[in-house]
């Protein structure tokens, strides 16, 4: 009886995994079809004159531009600059934002002091702060990364801190009743309960980091994908603009998928 029940459970589990794989393949297939239809419709619209070919270009010309930039080597330099700035802003923003969230959770007094300032700073347009960062840190890598941090740190802090505050108070009471001090409560109750929110913040910061870097490159950069977009507008080379946007979309998607993979690895080890 026990053996037959174990075999039944195993077969049900295998069916579940098989259905999950099929669903994943179906989702990927539909996503691929939608992407292909998007490029096909874009190409047809440009060829048939439904849209302005000078302004919107068309996929075949855009991919020719990307291939030409890959062959002459210019793409790799600009891509490397932007990816490096984005990675630095992403990692630093996540770490510093999480540490600040820990600090204000640890000190209710500090939380009360900083709360209005964080709300005000988060509502400020970061583009307006860009020139200040340029004057402070110079026109280069540091100013762009600081512009990115101005976007990612506050968002990370608010999300992670709210996650800390949203932990079931009954768990905290149980830990307190067992004699746990504040440090033990944090590492044994608060942090493990907030881990999914912290990991989800990584996904948010992928997009925020790219926004911050591109904004910074718009203002100051002499290289990078943001620079190529501005340069393309200046010389009316909108194919260069569209190719830069497509590269950003693909690289940002790859970075997001890397974060999703890291999330699966970390959550599987909890």
């Amino acid at each position: 009886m026990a053996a037959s029940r174990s075999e039944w459970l195993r077969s049900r589990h295998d069916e579940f995994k098989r259905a999950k794989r099929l669903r994943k393949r179906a989702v990927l297939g539909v996503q691929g079809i939608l992407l292909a239809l998007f490029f096909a419709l874009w190409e047809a619209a440009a060829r048939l004159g439904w849209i302005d070919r000078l302004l919107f270009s068309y996929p075949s010309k855009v991919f020719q531009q990307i291939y030409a930039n890959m062959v002459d080597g210019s793409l790799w330099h600009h891509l490397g600059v932007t990816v490096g700035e984005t990675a630095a802003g992403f990692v630093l923003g996540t770490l510093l934002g999480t540490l600040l969230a820990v600090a204000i959770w640890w000190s209710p007094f500090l939380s009360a002091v900083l709360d209005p300032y964080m709300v005000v700073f988060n509502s400020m347009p970061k583009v307006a702060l860009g020139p200040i960062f340029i004057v402070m840190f110079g026109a280069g890598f540091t100013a762009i990364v600081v512009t990115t941090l101005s976007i990612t740190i506050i968002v990370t802090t608010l999300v992670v801190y709210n996650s800390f505050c949203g932990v079931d108070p009954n768990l905290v009471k149980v830990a307190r009743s067992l004699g746990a001090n504040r440090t033990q409560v944090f590492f044994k109750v608060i942090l493990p309960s907030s881990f999914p929110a912290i990991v989800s913040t990584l996904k948010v910061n992928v997009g925020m980091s790219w926004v911050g870097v591109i904004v910074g490159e718009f203002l100051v950069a002499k290289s990078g994908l943001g620079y190529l977009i501005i340069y393309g507008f200046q010389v009316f080379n909108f194919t260069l603009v569209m190719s830069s946007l497509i590269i950003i979309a693909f690289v940002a998607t790859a970075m997001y998928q890397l974060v999703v993979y890291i999330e699966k690895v970390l959550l599987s080890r909890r």
Side-chain angles (χ1 to χ4, degrees), residues 35-251:
L35 184 62
L37 286 175
F38 169 76
F39 283 117
L41 181 60
W42 182 9
E43 182 82 20
R47 297 285 186 180
L48 297 175
W50 297 345
I51 60 176
D52 190 336
R53 294 173 59 177
L54 175 64
L55 182 60
F56 296 102
S57 191
Y58 46 95
S60 57
K61 189 175 182 181
V62 168
F63 287 115
Q64 287 176 4
Q65 176 76 53
I66 294 174
Y67 178 75
N69 291 340
M70 291 172 61
V71 171
D72 64 27
S74 61
L75 173 62
W76 307 117
H77 169 68
H78 293 290
L79 180 60
V81 169
T82 300
V83 170
E85 293 164 346
T86 304
F90 171 76
V91 173
L92 290 176
T94 302
L95 289 177
L96 295 177
T98 303
L99 290 175
L100 182 56
V102 172
I104 62 178
W105 176 87
W106 210 282
S107 173
F109 177 80
L110 183 63
S111 173
V113 171
L114 294 182
D115 182 67
Y117 293 102
M118 289 192 297
V119 172
V120 170
F121 187 78
N122 189 48
S123 64
M124 294 181 65
K126 305 307 183 291
V127 177
L129 298 175
I132 298 175
F133 296 144
I134 294 171
V135 173
M136 292 175 62
F137 301 103
F141 178 86
T142 303
I144 294 173
V145 172
V146 171
T147 301
T148 306
L149 293 179
S150 69
I151 298 176
T152 57
I153 286 181
I154 299 300
V155 173
T156 302
T157 301
L158 293 175
V159 172
V160 175
Y161 174 68
N162 287 330
S163 176
F164 289 166
C165 295
V167 173
D168 188 351
N170 292 322
L171 296 177
V172 177
K173 290 179 181 178
V174 171
R176 292 285 192 186
S177 66
L178 294 174
N181 57 33
R182 193 166 183 79
T183 301
Q184 292 171 328
V185 168
F186 178 77
F187 285 104
K188 298 296 184 180
V189 178
I190 301 298
L191 188 59
S193 300
S194 303
F195 192 72
I198 295 174
V199 175
S200 297
T201 305
L202 296 176
K203 298 179 181 179
V204 176
N205 277 350
V206 170
M208 303 300 290
S209 298
W210 277 96
V211 171
V213 166
I214 298 303
V215 167
E217 289 183 345
F218 281 173
L219 295 173
V220 67
K222 296 181 181 178
S223 59
L225 298 176
Y227 164 78
L228 289 182
I229 293 174
I230 291 297
Y231 176 76
F233 276 119
Q234 291 173 341
V235 300
F236 290 93
N237 185 352
F238 295 104
T239 300
L240 179 61
V241 174
M242 299 304 296
S243 66
S244 300
L245 291 174
I246 287 177
I247 292 170
I248 290 172
F250 276 100
V251 178

